[in-house]
Structure formats: C-alpha cells, structure tokens
Amino acid sequence: MELSNRSLKKYNSILKNAEKEFIKYGFNKVTMDSIANTANVSKVTLYKYFSDKQVLYEHILKENYFKEFNIIEETIHSDMRFNEKIDKIIKTRLAKYYSSDRLIVEKNYDQSDEMRTFISERTIIMESLNTKLYAQGKEEGMIRIDLTNETITKYFEIIRSGLIANFSTLQDIQNEDLSILFEVLYAGVLGCNKKK
C-alpha cells in the first residue's frame, strides 16, 4: 500500500510510540486507546493500519528482527574472516538487549499462528546462513571439522544465553575487551580444529 507523506508520518508515529508503550508498560497493559493517544492519532486511523494490538506488536517485532537479520546476513556474505564475523554477529544480537528503545519479545507473550510461522520460516533461513558460516570456520581451521552443525549451533545458543543473562555487566566492557571476551568464550570451537 502506497502512503502519502501525511499518512506515512502517522504510520511511523504509531510504530514509534507503540513500541515505546510496549517497552514501558508491557504487552498486557498497553491498549489501542493508549497507543492512539500517545501517537496523537485517532483510533480510526490506528485501526486503519493495524486490526488489533497483537498485530501491531508482532509487526514491530518483525521489523526489529529484519533490522538485525539484514546485518547478520550481510556479515555472513562478506569477505571478513570467520572470527570477525562471529564477533560482529554476537554484538549485533546483543545490541537489542543494550537498547532501551527496542522491543524484545516478552516471556509470557502468546504468539499468533502467523508469528509462529514467521519464526519457523526465519529459522530455516538462518540455518542455511549458519551452514555457510560454519563451513567457513572449518575451512579456516577455526572449528573442528568433526563437529556437526547441530552441535555448533547448540554451543553458540548456550553461549548466547549466558551472554544475554549477563548482558547488564557486559555494558561496562570496552568494545575491544568485549571482542577478546568473545574469543575466550568461543574457544570451545574457535581454534579447536584438532582432536586431543
């Protein structure tokens, strides 16, 4: 749908202000009325673009996902070395937790079928990108060649979960030191190309 400049401003105002509301109060406490008021639009205008609160919430989550995904995809397809890619990917994924103005999924949030399908499709695409990334890591001697992609993925998930759980303490670490910390954390696969 092509939007006029005026409509585009209203649409962007809805997204920006709805995200602030969701971050501040959580999905369950935010109403379409409060979003309309904060965005300075009528409820009619709000419902013109988004049929309900869940559709709006999931739209914002998807937009944020694509912002992160596009950086990760570009990084994997770039000419960087494997360890540089890992460093950039992890910092990109952690950025959402550092940001106070970026919506992340709430723990008790009940996803729609459409959102579950979206996540499932995106997971398949990420698996394909990870296959390419892991192959590069093996070629550069940074990952043991006998490790399966499933094992490598599980390893990175465990590390990422730990980083997320401790992200508030990571905020004080300088960028260069953070890169060194990542190298130490990933030493389980980085540089471990030979069996002992």
Side-chain angles (χ1 to χ4, degrees), residues 17-80:
N17 287 288
E19 184 164 21
K20 286 179 183 177
E21 289 277 301
F22 288 130
I23 291 167
K24 188 172 183 180
Y25 301 110
F27 177 79
N28 291 323
K29 292 185 180 177
V30 172
T31 65
M32 291 295 267
D33 283 335
S34 67
I35 293 168
N37 288 336
T38 306
N40 200 25
V41 297
S42 70
K43 280 177 63 177
V44 172
T45 299
L46 179 56
Y47 281 104
K48 174 182 170 184
Y49 299 114
F50 301 100
S51 59
D52 62 41
K53 178 174 73 168
Q54 184 160 1
V55 169
L56 174 54
Y57 183 80
E58 291 181 351
H59 179 84
I60 295 167
L61 289 174
K62 288 176 187 176
E63 277 198 346
N64 287 344
Y65 171 84
F66 280 117
K67 288 174 190 171
E68 179 181 299
F69 175 81
N70 290 340
I71 295 169
I72 291 170
E73 184 178 36
E74 285 176 19
T75 301
I76 290 173
H77 290 304
S78 75
D79 292 334
M80 286 188 244

Side-chain angles (χ1 to χ4, degrees), residues 51-132:
S51 59
D52 62 41
K53 178 174 73 168
Q54 184 160 1
V55 169
L56 174 54
Y57 183 80
E58 291 181 351
H59 179 84
I60 295 167
L61 289 174
K62 288 176 187 176
E63 277 198 346
N64 287 344
Y65 171 84
F66 280 117
K67 288 174 190 171
E68 179 181 299
F69 175 81
N70 290 340
I71 295 169
I72 291 170
E73 184 178 36
E74 285 176 19
T75 301
I76 290 173
H77 290 304
S78 75
D79 292 334
M80 286 188 244
R81 295 189 45 78
F82 175 78
N83 60 331
E84 294 169 328
K85 289 180 181 182
I86 290 293
D87 184 67
K88 185 169 181 181
I89 289 168
I90 296 305
K91 286 177 181 172
T92 299
R93 287 192 167 147
L94 285 177
K96 65 184 161 205
Y97 299 99
Y98 292 141
S99 174
S100 61
D101 61 348
R102 187 156 173 213
L103 183 65
I104 55 176
V105 180
E106 295 177 27
K107 289 181 182 170
N108 298 326
Y109 169 68
D110 189 22
Q111 298 171 345
S112 68
D113 289 340
E114 182 184 334
M115 190 66 173
R116 279 191 282 277
T117 300
F118 173 82
I119 291 169
S120 177
E121 291 169 351
R122 298 282 109 201
T123 299
I124 292 167
I125 293 168
M126 276 308 302
E127 285 172 0
S128 172
L129 290 171
N130 285 339
T131 297
K132 178 178 177 156

